[in-house]
Amino acid sequence: MKVEKNKSLRSYNTFGIDAKAAEFISVDSVATLKQVLEHYKGEDIFILGGGSNMLLTDDINRTVVHINLKGISVVSEDKNEVVLKVMAGENWHELVLYCLEHNYGGIENLSLIPGNTGTAPIQNIGAYGVELKDVFVSCEAISVVAGELRSFSLEDCKFAYRDSIFKTRLKGEYIITSVNLRLTKTDHRLNISYGAISDVLEEKGISQPDIRDVSEAVIQIRQSKLPDPEKLGNSGSFFKNPVLTSEEFQAFRKNHPNAPYYEVSPTEFKIPAGWLIEQAGFKGKRFGDAGVHDKQALVLVNFGSATGKEIWELALKIQKKVKDSFGIYIEPEVNIV
Ligand code: EPU
């Protein structure tokens, strides 16, 4: 177990924040992870996955354990379906590409989402009408305190919009080591209901798309709106889209009849936070090296040397203006560390 001291985490978080870890250990096997947990028993350690959904507002004066478990294997398969076991440290988009190569369908709409497979269940990643829960079978996770592996079924995970038991009741208690996904080998269930996907396919003259076409359409849409973290630090959507009750929604619609919305259920209405932030005047605004992306106001960006604190101050300013203008609270989607 190699311990690095005072290590910069800049290349370990997609915001590109130059915070430091007092100690840093990268683990590449479950056995090593168990040893590390045993060694640091009782101490407050920090678990780091792909670093794509967090904002580091300060140095971490603790031991950072980087989950670097690799491997993809077939658990079971028949003519129609395959169940894959994917280790937590596998990059999510590389997994999508692997599935396309093997003609495994189900996660093509989730192309180009930054981060690792092991962190995907924590916030139930989702895009263009598909969420992780739609292909999720189970995951294995190790308890931080007891060091024991446990399997979580779909039901155990309590998945909801950008939410799971790992963000709520069991927050910080388990480290996901692998995820099992059920994917199709034939009769892929394409999900092209999301307007922008069907538009792109139509533009390209594709009337009978396959999973590759859908992935390419998603990549095209994402690249046109969302900044590449390699070029411009960001963490995807910074806020969740707020969900209003029918009463709140009626009141909101009265004042803003042209606002876009999605009906989640007859009593729940989701308003795009990007729209609220744009209306509040923040789209494309820059404050030092912290800013709001010019093509999607839901994304906060680091133009180079912004600190996590500066990004967080900007987020709080946005949150307050949206609350004052619309009476709606927008909750961060990223973890504030
Ligand atoms: N909009 C604006 N201004 C903006 C951005 C959006 O007015 O600057 C309005 C537009 O009316 C647009 C609508 O918001 O039609 C919806 O925008 P978009 O299709 O980009 O989706 P979103 O609701 O902003 C969500 C997810 C994204 C996901 C897309 C596509 C959340 C918090 N975000 O964004 O997820 O890619 O839908 O499914 O649910 C992420 O989680 O990091 C992420 C990028």
Side-chain angles (χ1 to χ4, degrees):
M1 149 174 126
K2 185 177 155 221
V3 183
E4 297 174 69
K5 303 262 186 205
N6 208 23
K7 177 153 175 114
S8 169
L9 296 175
R10 189 174 201 142
S11 58
Y12 291 90
N13 71 100
T14 59
F15 251 125
I17 303 290
D18 195 13
K20 295 206 165 38
E23 287 194 336
F24 182 91
I25 304 171
S26 189
V27 295
D28 59 8
S29 75
V30 174
T32 312
L33 178 57
K34 280 187 176 172
Q35 275 174 16
V36 169
L37 292 178
E38 184 58 34
H39 185 85
Y40 288 91
K41 208 170 187 155
E43 285 184 42
D44 188 16
I45 55 169
F46 182 93
I47 305 300
L48 176 66
S52 65
N53 204 40
M54 64 178 196
L55 176 65
L56 295 167
T57 58
D58 215 340
D59 290 339
I60 302 184
N61 295 315
R62 290 178 275 161
T63 301
V64 170
V65 179
H66 176 229
I67 306 301
N68 197 25
L69 308 169
K70 300 283 188 193
I72 303 176
S73 53
V74 172
V75 176
S76 62
E77 68 182 313
D78 61 20
K79 196 162 63 50
N80 302 315
E81 287 184 338
V82 61
V83 174
L84 288 187
K85 174 176 178 172
V86 187
M87 298 307 288
E90 287 290 343
N91 173 273
W92 177 265
H93 183 62
E94 279 168 27
L95 170 66
V96 174
L97 297 178
Y98 172 96
C99 289
L100 293 174
E101 251 166 53
H102 290 77
N103 191 34
Y104 298 154
I107 56 174
E108 54 284 351
N109 292 45
L110 305 180
S111 296
L112 220 58
I113 295 187
N116 287 352
T117 306
T119 38
I122 299 179
Q123 57 148 342
N124 180 27
I125 58 169
Y128 309 105
V130 173
E131 288 184 332
L132 180 77
K133 70 168 174 49
D134 302 330
V135 293
F136 182 93
V137 177
S138 62
C139 66
E140 281 202 336
I142 190 163
S143 135
V144 174
V145 174
E148 279 163 12
L149 273 177
R150 177 189 151 181
S151 178
F152 288 81
S153 69
L154 176 65
E155 204 170 280
D156 293 337
C157 292
K158 308 272 179 254
F159 288 125
Y161 167 58
R162 295 294 191 276
D163 203 22
S164 77
I165 197 160
F166 303 108
K167 261 182 111 170
T168 51
R169 197 161 66 72
L170 297 183
K171 189 169 180 174
E173 290 189 26
Y174 281 87
I175 301 167
I176 296 172
T177 54
S178 66
V179 181
N180 284 10
L181 305 175
R182 177 173 287 112
L183 304 161
T184 50
K185 288 169 68 176
T186 53
D187 298 329
H188 301 306
R189 291 180 286 273
L190 298 187
N191 193 325
I192 52 170
S193 54
Y194 197 91
I197 296 186
S198 43
D199 292 350
V200 170
L201 292 172
E202 202 176 313
E203 241 169 60
K204 289 180 162 176
I206 300 171
S207 56
Q208 300 220 304
D210 60 16
I211 53 177
R212 222 168 250 279
D213 297 320
V214 175
S215 168
E216 278 165 17
V218 168
I219 289 173
Q220 188 177 321
I221 301 163
R222 286 187 77 96
Q223 284 178 337
S224 71
K225 288 193 190 184
L226 299 168
D228 177 355
E230 296 280 328
K231 298 189 185 119
L232 188 60
N234 76 91
S235 212
S237 303
F238 193 90
F239 296 97
K240 286 192 203 178
N241 287 333
V243 179
L244 306 186
T245 62
S246 314
E247 279 158 27
E248 290 165 339
F249 179 65
Q250 293 314 330
F252 172 77
R253 278 289 273 177
K254 224 160 116 192
N255 295 326
H256 309 284
N258 299 322
Y261 67 91
Y262 326 99
E263 187 173 334
V264 184
S265 77
T267 54
E268 295 168 300
F269 299 84
K270 216 187 249 181
I271 313 294
W275 184 86
L276 297 169
I277 298 168
E278 180 171 351
Q279 298 299 308
F282 285 99
K283 193 169 186 170
K285 285 277 159 66
R286 181 170 175 167
F287 303 82
D289 263 359
V292 179
H293 191 47
D294 56 354
K295 299 194 187 76
Q296 163 56 289
L298 194 49
V299 179
L300 302 193
V301 295
N302 174 9
F303 285 101
S305 57
T307 63
K309 281 201 178 80
E310 285 163 348
I311 304 225
W312 183 227
E313 276 162 22
L314 172 57
L316 291 174
K317 204 186 286 188
I318 293 172
Q319 214 177 27
K320 182 170 186 310
K321 182 82 192 290
V322 167
K323 179 82 182 143
D324 291 347
S325 313
F326 300 97
I328 295 177
Y329 169 72
I330 50 172
E331 181 193 354
E333 196 221 278
V334 301
N335 294 307
I336 312 300
V337 180

